[in-house]
Amino acid sequence: MIDRALMALAAHGVGKYYPLAPSWIGTLLFPRGEAALATATSGGFWVLRGVDFALAHGQSLGVIGRNGAGKSTLLRILAGVALPTEGRVETRARLACLLDLGVGFHSLETGRDNAETTLILQAGLSRREARRRLPEIEEFADIGAFFTRPIRTYSDGMRLRLAFATITVLEPEVLVTDEILAVGDEAFQQRCNAWFDRFLGRGGGLVLCSHD
């Protein structure tokens, strides 16, 4: 049992239940096939049930499971994007999330404007301070003129670069992510790995989901 004073993130009996829906709705709700692999119950199914863990500051947690096992649903619940049907999540640290590409971005706004909004909403920075930090994001993302173009014109790799670059300025204590970093090119992955080394070296925590 982790001392509460040291706890950064915890799940207490977390479960997620979805009622059965017409197939076209199910396709929208479960693009990764979780519905097909979930345990069926009367009128619906549990994607997750009885998830418990406690993560102390500076610790990392790996969540491994086959495709459709509910990993993405768990990450969304930890991130606050989805609510659990039962149980609760306890967050006692600055949390940042890097999930599906483009989540949290407005496709009609520029990369610059999206980054600024993220810093204001998630880091609590003033508009003036957020704008002062934008050059750091632009340099790390290294997407050239696209930084001032709408997100809808971005490739997956560009979205990833912008999202990760923004995370580096948010300075989280715990990062929740999946395997989307595989989208980046080799040079960008090396830059991300160097940031991860610094992040973990200074006591950052990581929750990482993988299928192997």
Side-chain angles (χ1 to χ4, degrees), residues 27-195:
T27 300
L28 293 176
L29 291 176
F30 311 105
R32 301 195 181 191
E34 290 166 358
L37 295 175
T39 301
T41 62
S42 177
F45 49 86
W46 290 94
V47 176
L48 297 170
R49 199 85 191 266
V51 177
D52 291 281
F53 72 83
L55 189 73
H57 285 274
Q59 286 187 329
S60 295
L61 173 67
V63 181
I64 300 175
R66 62 181 182 177
N67 290 336
K71 302 185 301 297
S72 294
T73 297
L74 175 60
L75 290 188
R76 286 173 171 269
I77 291 174
L78 296 178
V81 177
L83 296 175
T85 304
E86 63 182 16
R88 63 188 177 89
V89 172
E90 185 176 1
T91 304
R92 302 169 64 88
R94 291 193 310 276
L95 189 71
C97 305
L98 192 60
L99 306 177
D100 296 340
L101 290 173
V103 169
F105 287 155
H106 192 298
S107 63
L108 299 181
E109 298 292 337
T110 67
R112 180 185 183 88
D113 289 342
N114 273 284
E116 180 181 327
T117 299
T118 299
L119 294 181
I120 293 171
L121 295 180
Q122 294 192 27
L125 301 184
S126 66
R127 186 170 299 277
R128 180 177 180 179
E129 176 64 13
R131 288 178 175 174
R132 189 183 70 81
R133 303 295 299 273
L134 287 176
E136 299 174 46
I137 296 176
E138 183 175 11
E139 181 180 2
F140 195 102
D142 192 24
I143 55 177
F146 279 92
F147 190 61
T148 56
R149 294 177 184 173
I151 291 289
R152 61 181 173 80
T153 66
Y154 285 25
S155 66
D156 283 349
M158 290 177 182
R159 287 173 181 259
L160 171 63
R161 286 170 176 265
L162 179 63
F164 195 93
T166 304
I167 289 289
T168 66
V169 174
L170 289 175
E171 299 179 347
E173 294 176 309
V174 177
L175 177 61
V176 176
T177 188
D178 57 16
E179 296 177 296
I180 67 169
L181 287 179
V183 175
D185 59 36
E186 183 177 355
F188 183 72
Q189 288 182 22
Q190 290 177 352
R191 192 149 67 246
C192 292
N193 289 336
W195 180 86

